Amino acid sequence: MVPLNWYLILSAAVFSIGVFGFLTRRNIIIMFMSLELMLNAVNISLVAFSHYLQDLRGHVLVFFIITVAAAEASIGLAIIIALFKNKNTVHVDEMNEMKG
Amino acid sequence: MSMLPQLFFGYFAFAIIVLSLLVITRKNPVHSVMWMLLLFFHIASMYLFLNAEFIAAIQVIVYAGAILVLFLFVVLLLNLKEELESARFVGSWPAAVLISGGIFVGLAASMLSVSLGPKGNFTVDLIQRVTHTKVLGQILYTEYLFPFEIASLVLLIAVVGAIVLAKKRMRSH
Amino acid sequence: MQYYLLIPFLPFAAFIINILFGRKIIKDNAHWVSTLAVAGSWIVSVMTLMDVLSGLSVNQNLYTWMLSGNFKVSVGFLIDQLTAVMLIVVTTCSTLIHIYSIGYMHGDKGYYRFFSYLSLFTFCMLMLVMANNFLQLYFGWEGVGLCSYFLIGYYFDKKSASDAGKKAFIVNRFGDFGFGIGIFMIFITFGTTYYDEVFSQAAGHALTRVNFLGFDVHLMTLIALLLFCGSIGKSAQMPLHVWLPDAMEGPTPVSALIHAATMVTAGVFLVARCNPIFSLSETALIVVAMTGAITSLFAATIGLVQNDLKRIIAYSTVSQLGYMFLACGVGAYTAGVFHLYTHAFFKALLFLCAGSVMHAMGGELNIQKMGSLKKFMPITYWTMLLASLSIAGVPGLAGFFSKDEILWLAYSGASPVGKIVWAMGTLVAFLTAFYSFRLIFLTFHGRFRGTHEQEHHLHESPKTMTVPLMILCVGAVASGWVGIPHLVGGGAHFTEFMKPVLGHAEGHGTHAEEWMVMAISVAVGFSGIGLAYFMYVLRPELPGIVTQRFLAVHKVLFNKYYIDELYSFLIIRPTIWVAKNVLIGVTDARVIEAIVNGVPSAIGGFSRQLRKMQTGLLHNYATITAMGIFIIAAVMLLRNW
């Protein structure tokens, strides 16, 4: 039997990789994919917890996370396309419209 | 034979981490998407280990089938040729290594000290007997009915939002 | 519905209507709104008086104004004998003065404003007299003070008028400060501000002593004197009398209504209303009596030599208010309120007559420049003559009965200072008769001493002004008939009527003594009139000679004992010095300015640094967010370990 901690550490590793990708990549699409990576990391830990606790609520949560991820992906990618049409770039370090 | 689960886990864990790293390091976004597809299949397999067939199924259908295809569309639509010549990381990536490393250490350290509470009713036997989809459906349509409806609203908003953004794009042409 | 609620709220409605719509819509018809409202109040007041006469007494809370712990204040109404009399005084004078103002203020550019203030004043005054608790009394008290400020400074483009308004307001602050503390003391002592509860518990505290600012004092004396502070300010008693003569800068109807008949008598009303408290402290009563007597004498002597028509009447008012306090101080609250009631009529009448004279003289107020007005304005002359006879205490007129009752009760009452204040009061009666008739003779008799232009202009005032004069004249003559003493065959109805609220001060003396007191007061009254006649009609050169003979005395009196100069030297100039050199020079420039300018510049500097964080680059934000997550996770982790 695989101990729970293994899954959790796997989840932490994937999450950290996602964070690293989000913080470093210039391409906004890859940043977006890093975000999906982080969501998946959380899903892994939720499913693992659910299994070891013999409780299905974790699965329900995963279900909702996937729903939100789908919504987020559709909106986010639409925004990216709009952005690209305006700025002709997907490199976030070339945009500073939010500068105060 | 008792080593088999550990071996399976070892393989999948290793593959997931390597694939994750590949996803975030590829210069060409198309490659990233392809590696991600593989990654999602591995994660789905891991769900099967954990007795979550339905989750594994929607992982493949929604993530691999819908979301990744969407990504692929966008990547192809944008046609990023100059992407291949420019730097892939921002200048401050060593700081990011520190931060994400810190987060990993923090998370891992806290997860090592996890202790499980009392166990619930949904034993592996029960799920295998009734089937996972049915059990999940029973919970989802009773206890979580209201959040479920909210989720439908979220999807509706996503649809509306996507259309609005797309329309805007049309007008700017 | 209880109709007595209409009494205060009709004028209030008139105020709201006039202040909102007066400028654009109502304009020169503003008097209709206000006058009808006040007249309505008057009718309801008369009905209320009828009810009270038939034995009704109301003490009812209308609306909970504030509630905090055991501190509860309501808007409530107390209708008893005292309130009923005050209602009649206030609404009668107010109605007549409203009517008078229609003629007097005709064509003024602030016509609607004048009437709306007048209505607001009437509302506040009615709230004051109808209150059933101290806080509502205080509300009315400050409300009338505010209206007084508005109306004294009504001609605000005239500097002396706006200064006089400020002076009245500021001087009243001194008194109201004490009054406010007095109310706090009442609440601390009794845990309530309702009259009935306070007065019923007051006797239980007759011997209580408290530590006040480190002094061991008798509680009831303290409370009574603190309340009396408010009275001193509002009723212009020594040493806070300085505002009232200056308040004559306001329009004459205002002087008549606020500074003669109603507002200034609020102090007397307060003392009378709180008689259960005052009666428990002999010290407080002596202070009240002596303050009244001294003020009375002091103001009367100043009145002897002044030349300003309205100021003479103003000093006369101060003097008569002193009389009322004198009465209250010897325990004769009924006599004080009786004098308040008769005084309201003849003093309002005097002021309105003065206004009528001013109207004819084109705003001239110096009586040395008048004379022989009798033949030009007969109605004004006769009404003013009757008012003066009344104030001088000629038998049969209103002033005689009230003044005589005060003097008799001072002479025969139990007060230790009774005889002294009686002597002073008698002297004041003489002086009052003298200066009142000096005024009459200089204004209406002899030859005209003004310019030819003024002489051509002389005319009797319009009907809206003379009719109120005649009605008030009836009051000045006849209002005293409700209180004719038993001695001369009257029923002393007023005293009997007031007995449930104000108690009954018994004179301890024989009929012979009572006759003697009355005879003396009549004698001094007539001799005052006679002396004035002798000096200003028979031998008009005499005043000049007397002035020359007693030059120093005349100068002191003419300059009002230099009280204003004294205050200027002792209080105003040091205050201004401190304000200029300490507050502006140090506090304002070095402390407040430094804070006011320092805080924004510090914020600005900090913001300029902080703005640099706002790069607009997504990665920076993401990095900071991630660091935040890391820190939160680390803190949670370390706390759990």
Side-chain angles (χ1 to χ4, degrees):
Chain A
M1 195 67 184
V2 182
L4 173 64
N5 285 343
W6 293 21
Y7 287 101
L8 296 183
I9 289 178
L10 171 67
S11 160
V14 176
F15 187 85
S16 305
I17 291 166
V19 170
F20 177 76
F22 189 80
L23 293 186
T24 52
R25 288 304 296 250
R26 297 170 64 224
N27 189 327
I28 194 164
I29 300 174
I30 308 268
M31 283 172 78
F32 228 74
M33 288 159 80
S34 307
L35 220 56
E36 301 292 341
L37 219 52
M38 285 189 260
L39 288 172
N40 270 285
V42 173
N43 283 353
I44 292 174
S45 69
L46 281 172
V47 173
F49 271 120
S50 227
H51 179 72
Y52 284 87
L53 277 172
Q54 297 181 354
D55 192 325
L56 278 184
R57 295 201 178 90
H59 293 179
V60 174
L61 214 50
V62 171
F63 180 84
F64 289 130
I65 288 174
I66 292 176
T67 313
V68 171
E72 175 232 351
S74 65
I75 297 270
L77 290 170
I79 291 173
I80 288 171
I81 291 171
L83 203 62
F84 183 77
K85 292 290 172 194
N86 277 326
K87 294 267 149 194
N88 211 25
T89 179
V90 288
H91 291 157
V92 287
D93 51 357
E94 287 163 29
M95 309 169 198
N96 61 353
E97 265 66 36
M98 290 191 287
K99 190 176 173 79
Chain B
M1 285 306 282
S2 62
M3 280 292 285
L4 206 56
Q6 277 93 334
L7 275 178
F8 268 108
F9 178 83
Y11 162 70
F12 281 109
F14 178 75
I16 286 171
I17 287 172
V18 170
L19 288 170
S20 304
L21 286 170
L22 285 173
V23 166
I24 64 156
T25 50
R26 290 310 86 198
K27 199 165 211 173
N28 190 335
V30 180
H31 295 177
S32 281
V33 175
M34 288 306 165
W35 289 124
M36 200 162 193
L37 185 62
L38 204 52
L39 171 67
F40 283 166
F41 278 113
H42 277 82
I43 291 176
S45 314
M46 190 154 262
Y47 290 160
L48 284 177
F49 271 158
L50 294 166
N51 259 321
E53 303 111 43
F54 182 74
I55 299 292
I58 59 169
Q59 173 81 13
V60 172
I61 295 166
V62 178
Y63 260 125
I67 298 179
L68 275 188
V69 170
L70 207 58
F71 270 95
L72 206 54
F73 271 156
V74 171
V75 170
L76 295 176
L77 208 63
L78 298 186
N79 190 19
L80 305 158
K81 278 192 189 120
E82 89 281 17
E83 176 71 19
L84 302 175
E85 279 97 58
S86 63
R88 63 186 93 169
F89 294 115
V90 292
S92 62
W93 65 268
V97 172
L98 270 179
I99 292 169
S100 50
I103 289 176
F104 175 70
V105 171
L107 287 176
S110 59
M111 280 166 176
L112 284 175
S113 65
V114 161
S115 60
L116 288 175
K119 294 196 172 176
N121 303 324
F122 296 94
T123 56
V124 178
D125 285 343
L126 178 105
I127 291 170
Q128 279 174 350
R129 199 173 61 245
V130 186
T131 74
H132 181 247
T133 311
K134 194 171 180 181
V135 179
L136 193 64
Q138 275 165 354
I139 289 196
L140 208 54
Y141 289 110
T142 53
E143 201 180 339
Y144 290 92
L145 186 63
F146 185 64
F148 184 73
E149 295 297 332
I150 299 284
S152 70
L153 209 62
V154 171
L155 287 173
L156 177 70
I157 291 166
V159 170
V160 174
I163 291 170
V164 168
L165 287 165
K167 265 187 82 175
K168 218 174 195 172
R169 187 163 51 90
M170 299 277 279
R171 200 176 295 154
S172 68
H173 266 289
Chain C
M1 192 197 124
Q2 269 161 318
Y3 53 79
Y4 61 77
L5 288 180
L6 288 173
I7 299 173
F9 289 114
L10 274 177
F12 188 63
F15 162 68
I16 297 287
I17 293 170
N18 267 342
I19 204 80
L20 290 181
F21 307 114
R23 211 164 120 109
K24 291 279 161 59
I25 302 167
I26 303 175
K27 287 177 191 161
D28 291 343
N29 295 316
H31 58 265
W32 283 109
V33 182
S34 294
T35 312
L36 286 177
V38 176
S41 289
W42 178 73
I43 292 167
V44 182
S45 300
V46 172
M47 288 158 69
T48 309
L49 178 69
M50 295 299 174
D51 286 349
V52 173
L53 280 171
S54 64
L56 174 106
S57 166
V58 181
N59 182 4
Q60 195 185 46
N61 289 331
L62 190 63
Y63 162 75
T64 301
W65 181 9
M66 48 182 103
L67 182 62
S68 168
N70 62 346
F71 178 66
K72 181 176 181 240
V73 184
S74 320
V75 177
F77 294 105
L78 171 67
I79 311 259
D80 59 4
Q81 287 81 355
L82 180 58
T83 308
V85 167
M86 289 303 290
L87 285 179
I88 292 295
V89 169
V90 173
T91 53
T92 308
C93 291
S94 190
T95 308
L96 292 172
I97 287 164
H98 270 77
I99 296 169
Y100 179 91
S101 304
I102 298 172
Y104 189 86
M105 300 302 290
H106 182 74
D108 194 274
K109 63 182 189 303
Y111 196 66
Y112 82 94
R113 189 161 57 91
F114 181 81
F115 276 98
S116 47
Y117 289 161
L118 224 50
S119 293
L120 180 64
F121 168 78
T122 310
F123 163 70
C124 292
M125 190 70 205
L126 292 168
M127 288 296 274
L128 191 162
V129 299
M130 291 175 79
N132 73 346
N133 61 69
F134 279 100
L135 215 68
Q136 192 184 335
L137 173 77
Y138 194 76
F139 164 79
W141 189 271
E142 294 301 325
V144 291
L146 180 69
C147 295
S148 159
Y149 166 76
F150 284 153
L151 286 165
I152 294 169
Y154 175 74
Y155 299 119
F156 55 82
D157 41 5
K158 202 165 114 195
K159 188 169 186 317
S160 61
S162 63
D163 283 351
K166 279 182 259 178
K167 185 172 177 182
F169 203 72
I170 293 167
V171 170
N172 265 300
R173 276 325 85 214
F174 287 90
D176 293 350
F177 180 65
F179 184 31
I181 296 176
I183 294 176
F184 295 154
M185 288 300 295
I186 286 173
F187 179 70
I188 292 170
T189 310
F190 302 104
T192 175
T193 58
Y194 289 100
Y195 293 152
D196 48 355
E197 292 167 18
V198 170
F199 297 153
S200 61
Q201 292 175 39
H205 288 277
L207 297 173
T208 314
R209 302 185 74 83
V210 291
N211 185 328
F212 184 74
L213 303 178
F215 296 98
D216 181 45
V217 288
H218 181 221
L219 180 62
M220 284 303 135
T221 305
L222 176 68
I223 291 177
L225 288 180
L226 285 170
L227 294 178
F228 186 56
C229 273
S231 292
I232 287 177
K234 192 63 76 193
S235 294
Q237 297 296 292
M238 285 271 279
L240 299 180
H241 65 283
V242 288
W243 67 270
L244 188 58
D246 285 21
M248 296 304 130
E249 291 287 348
T252 308
V254 170
S255 309
L257 177 61
I258 301 184
H259 305 120
T262 55
M263 184 188 86
V264 289
T265 61
V268 183
F269 169 76
L270 176 68
V271 174
R273 177 56 87 198
C274 300
N275 69 78
I277 294 177
F278 280 87
S279 297
L280 290 173
S281 164
E282 193 170 50
T283 320
L285 282 181
I286 290 172
V287 170
V288 172
M290 287 312 289
T291 308
I294 291 170
T295 308
S296 186
L297 185 60
F298 167 85
T301 51
I302 296 176
L304 293 178
V305 296
Q306 298 298 313
N307 285 328
D308 183 312
L309 179 61
K310 281 178 75 181
R311 273 173 201 255
I312 297 174
I313 309 178
Y315 278 109
S316 164
T317 307
V318 175
S319 172
Q320 296 301 311
L321 288 166
Y323 240 82
M324 297 173 207
F325 281 114
L326 187 162
C328 292
V330 297
Y333 304 104
T334 317
V337 173
F338 188 34
H339 196 56
L340 187 166
Y341 155 75
T342 56
H343 172 260
F345 293 104
F346 58 69
K347 188 52 60 66
L349 178 55
L350 280 174
F351 266 116
L352 295 187
C353 289
S356 181
V357 169
M358 270 174 79
H359 199 69
M361 295 289 293
E364 178 63 63
L365 277 170
N366 190 343
I367 53 172
Q368 299 295 355
K369 292 184 179 162
M370 297 177 186
S372 79
L373 295 185
K374 186 168 82 174
K375 58 178 184 277
F376 296 104
M377 26 197 349
I379 299 175
T380 308
Y381 170 67
W382 284 106
T383 49
M384 195 163 187
L385 181 67
L386 280 168
S388 299
L389 288 170
S390 188
I391 198 175
V394 170
L397 301 178
F400 166 73
F401 295 112
S402 55
K403 193 178 275 189
D404 182 60
E405 191 175 344
I406 292 175
L407 289 175
W408 164 241
L409 289 172
Y411 177 82
S412 63
S415 171
V417 290
K419 295 285 192 295
I420 304 168
V421 296
W422 169 74
M424 288 166 90
T426 308
L427 181 55
V428 170
F430 169 73
L431 296 173
T432 306
F434 177 78
Y435 68 67
S436 299
F437 277 85
R438 171 176 175 263
L439 180 70
I440 292 282
F441 294 139
L442 281 176
T443 311
F444 292 99
H445 291 257
R447 54 183 180 75
F448 189 74
R449 296 177 297 275
T451 61
H452 278 296
E453 238 171 275
Q454 284 172 327
E455 197 167 359
H456 280 297
H457 186 65
L458 288 174
H459 61 88
E460 182 60 280
S461 301
K463 282 254 168 13
T464 51
M465 289 167 71
T466 52
V467 169
L469 293 186
M470 290 185 280
I471 299 172
L472 275 173
C473 186
V474 174
V477 172
S479 63
W481 296 349
V482 297
I484 301 173
H486 292 296
L487 186 70
V488 292
H493 298 297
F494 194 85
T495 315
E496 290 300 320
F497 178 57
M498 282 300 197
K499 217 170 170 178
V501 189
L502 300 180
H504 183 41
E506 286 289 344
H508 302 284
T510 59
H511 279 307
E513 280 179 304
E514 199 170 349
W515 279 114
M516 182 200 77
V517 168
M518 190 182 282
I520 290 173
S521 93
V522 171
V524 295
F526 276 116
S527 54
I529 299 171
L531 184 62
Y533 187 71
F534 180 70
M535 278 178 75
Y536 293 97
V537 178
L538 296 182
R539 304 274 302 278
E541 76 283 357
L542 209 56
I545 298 169
V546 176
T547 308
Q548 284 306 314
R549 186 74 51 79
F550 302 102
L551 200 58
V553 177
H554 181 267
K555 211 173 160 193
V556 169
L557 292 183
F558 191 75
N559 288 303
K560 311 153 208 161
Y561 293 95
Y562 295 101
I563 296 276
D564 276 323
E565 286 74 9
L566 186 71
Y567 286 173
S568 168
F569 180 73
L570 285 181
I571 299 170
I572 299 170
R573 269 192 255 164
T575 310
I576 291 176
W577 187 87
V578 170
K580 264 190 186 150
N581 293 301
V582 180
L583 296 182
I584 295 180
V586 179
T587 316
D588 197 54
R590 304 262 163 77
V591 181
I592 296 176
E593 292 269 315
I595 295 169
V596 167
N597 294 333
V599 170
S601 69
I603 293 171
F606 182 65
S607 311
R608 267 189 289 283
Q609 300 306 312
L610 204 62
R611 267 181 61 181
K612 290 177 186 165
M613 283 181 72
Q614 195 85 347
T615 54
L617 293 173
L618 197 57
H619 281 114
N620 291 40
Y621 300 150
T623 309
I624 291 165
T625 311
M627 274 159 79
I629 293 169
F630 171 65
I631 290 167
I632 291 169
V635 168
M636 297 297 284
L637 191 66
L638 293 177
R639 263 181 30 169
N640 287 343
W641 255 348

